Amino acid sequence: MQFYLNGYYAGDPHVQPAPGDAARDDGAVDVLVVGGGPAGLVLGASLAQFPEITTMLIDKRPGPLELGQADGVACRTIEMFEAFGFAHQVLEESYWVNEVVFWRPDPADPSRIVRNGRVRDVEDGLSEMPHVILNQARIHEFLTDSMANGPARLAPHYGTELVSLEQVPGDSHPVHATIRDAEGATSVVRAKYVVGCDGARSTVRRSFGAELRGDSANQAWGVMDALLTTDFPDIRFKAVVQSAEHGNMLIIPREGGYLVRFYIELDELAEGERARDRNITADDLIAAARRVLAPHDLDVKEVVWWSVYEIGQRVAEAFDNSAQTGGLPNVFVAGDACHTHSPKAGQGMNVSMQDTFNLGWKLAAVLRGQAPESLLGTYEEERRGVAQDLIDFDRKWAGMMSAQAGATGVTPEALQQQFSEQGRYTAGFGTKYAPSLLTSGDARGQLATGLPLGERFHSSPVVQVADGKHVQLGHAARADGRWRLYLFGDARDIRSPESALAAACGVLASTLLPRFTPAGADVDDVFDVRGVLQQSHHEVDVSDLPALLAPSKGRYGLTDYEKAFTSVVGGPDIYDIRVISRDGCIVVVRPDQYVAHVLPLEAAGSLPEFFERFLLPVG
């Protein structure tokens, strides 16, 4: 974490300096975010980094979420939280899912259940971050704090509901939103862009005529967070339990050491029937859980939160209003507003947050004049495929979880095998963006086969040249809208006239950076360049580095000493771990941490052409 670049200030360094409120037109904002759930708050936290962008976030709830709802936080999501600066808090407070145990009917006495197997929850080496469980309300708090601590100083407007949206062509802020506060008073907010993170019954989505399309499995499930005592030995493991006659159950321990969540299969629903029609109570869920766990005791002392839902998988017909405008979109939907599914795989909150992590930097780039509006069309192009993959996965997984133990194709062994095979997806690493405007299709990705094009940048340990600190390379990236250029050096000494790394730094400093960096801005305002040397940090000094890897920044011209790294000595280094060519290469990473391009160091001069596809040159 770096701070004090433009002068010392007292207090919490997580509270970033604020240059003052941006000028606000009467009733006008750049972005109106509707909905203060995970998707809306990630978008708010992303835009809070830019004080020149005016953002308003409204939520119809009277105040912050306190209980229940989603709790699974995938490895990929914690990698994202690291970019916002609060991953360490999540890791400290959460329950870590280490193993998953499987229980099945006892072949000798099917009225009883017995342990059938166990697997690692996340395969080794998939991420430096674990899969954890933490109350969604706490995640909301971290994101809200990130909004409040950002330079824009954002805060949700609770008790405020969207009534309607109207397009007013010709207005500088063409989306007019009628909103209603807690007292019933209405007003109009004029926005350049509106993002609906307002759930499955999204008012924003309905404003441009898109429906959720899909089906329902006509299967009711209950979910319950409880404090309890039991003789079930695996109550502090994530457990998949299949009973012979009483349905199935998923047990997920919660944070704090005592709380436990149960997902409990209930009866099938008739065609058109809703779960709420059954008048199910918390006592019904407790009784159902006891039947599944037999012969083990279950004494529930307190039900903290519970709900009943029916399984359904649906995707929105459109993720933006480009069909309505006949051109470029200015209204978008994210999260449950564009995809709904069952909660048992723990993907909903995670995929929803990735939706707006994708959209946030694109909105910021357009509003800051760095990119043309056409960039916003890539949101639906990229996230629709992700949503469909989620629905397909959830349909298969939910079907297996609802099937009777021993059913065709759904044996306990098949269920365990399915879980193992889908481990990469459930950890959040199923997304791979296809070659497109933002993702190169160049075959030179073979220069770093462990960092595949279109996939998230997989971090590895390195050592900072300046101070010998062991760090994760990927943790250098902040959620600040900047592109990352990781320059993996060749085997030549950085001081040598033959060094391809030093030459690439010179090319970038004379071509790419002046092409896209505004006059008077720091050299890394748009592109955050980091270098990785093959030498030990004992063999090179900061004074040996090219200027681009020890740049002068800020109003005092201070040196940034955290741009250059070397490989870890005494074991496999980053070149081995990520299968990076010893001849070196450049790995281009998007602001949302996905690999966009890989090319040789000698090809650094071609990067302006790549970026001109979606960024606007200065001047």
Side-chain angles (χ1 to χ4, degrees), residues 66 150 165 172 219 239 260 295 302-303 321 353 361 374 436 532 589:
E66 295 182 357
L165 289 180
S172 61
Q219 178 65 57
V260 181
E302 178 182 342
V303 176
N321 71 333
M353 289 189 286
W361 71 266
S374 56
S436 66
V532 180
V589 179

Side-chain angles (χ1 to χ4, degrees), residues 32 35-36 41 62 111 115 147 209 219 352 385 431 464 510 537 577 586:
L32 174 64
L41 292 175
S111 67
R115 188 188 294 117
M147 289 172 54
Q219 178 65 57
S352 295
T431 297
Q464 286 184 167
S510 63
H537 68 285
I577 296 169
I586 301 173

